[in-house]
Amino acid sequence: MHVITRSGIKAKDRDVATKWIKRCLREITRRDYELPVDYATARSQILVTLKRAGHRSSACAKGITIDLSAWSNQATALLEYPAFANDPVIGSHPQLSPELVLAATIAHEVSHFIQYRYGPDTRWLCKRYRKPHGEGFQDVYRILRSRVINPHFPTP
């Protein structure tokens, strides 16, 4: 994993972000999910940019960009896209710790990276990986949220 930190990013912030990126990659590269790569390969192929610019986070087949503004402002509401905001697994959540909001944002962007980087070569993604927040993305994101992020959510 090659991590680029823009100005103003503290080592502690970088360490928290990379911890969650590694957790997501470790889960999604398990043999159960039949991706064409293992954890070490996926980890070496992802380019991570951490910034604090007040913009959105993003991802592509090369890597992910995480904006840490919400983390530094201690945001506690996880807001997802309207298409799946009400989904019980991958939807929005009104009250979380700032670290879990960051973790869910990272899982969202790692899902896009997996979708675009490995989707064309993955049996269960190859026919539905193209749409940015479509079925392929949601399948990957559902795995990461249910197995890595959601178990840390507070119980109601």
Side-chain angles (χ1 to χ4, degrees):
M1 174 178 349
H2 182 68
V3 180
I4 299 169
T5 55
R6 301 289 185 220
S7 65
I9 302 299
K10 298 175 185 162
K12 181 184 107 178
D13 298 342
R14 181 199 64 222
D15 294 346
V16 171
T18 56
K19 171 184 78 172
W20 286 105
I21 293 166
K22 289 176 184 178
R23 286 181 179 182
C24 289
L25 289 176
R26 189 170 303 284
E27 176 62 33
I28 200 63
T29 56
R30 289 179 47 212
R31 289 186 182 182
D32 305 356
Y33 306 120
E34 302 174 355
L35 289 182
V37 295
D38 60 5
Y39 171 70
T41 305
R43 188 173 161 191
S44 70
Q45 291 178 344
I46 191 168
L47 172 65
V48 177
T49 304
L50 301 174
K51 64 179 183 156
R52 184 176 287 121
H55 301 131
R56 290 186 179 263
S57 298
S58 61
C60 64
K62 293 180 182 179
I64 63 176
T65 299
I66 304 295
D67 191 309
L68 296 172
S69 296
W71 161 254
S72 61
N73 294 334
Q74 299 292 290
T76 58
L78 172 61
L79 302 174
E80 282 296 353
Y81 285 88
F84 50 89
N86 295 322
D87 187 285
V89 177
I90 61 173
S92 299
H93 201 284
Q95 190 66 35
L96 294 173
S97 71
E99 184 172 349
L100 287 177
V101 173
L102 174 63
T105 301
I106 288 170
H108 184 110
E109 301 310 335
V110 168
S111 297
H112 280 305
F113 169 73
I114 296 297
Q115 166 192 14
Y116 295 129
R117 180 73 175 227
Y118 306 116
D121 302 317
T122 303
R123 182 186 52 80
W124 56 276
L125 282 174
C126 66
K127 293 183 181 174
R128 17 187 237 183
Y129 77 93
R130 285 185 175 88
K131 190 173 178 186
H133 290 107
E135 291 178 22
F137 162 80
Q138 289 183 28
D139 289 345
V140 176
Y141 190 39
R142 189 173 307 282
I143 291 167
L144 294 180
R145 282 281 301 270
S146 66
R147 306 280 298 183
V148 179
I149 310 301
N150 293 5
H152 299 282
F153 282 10
T155 54

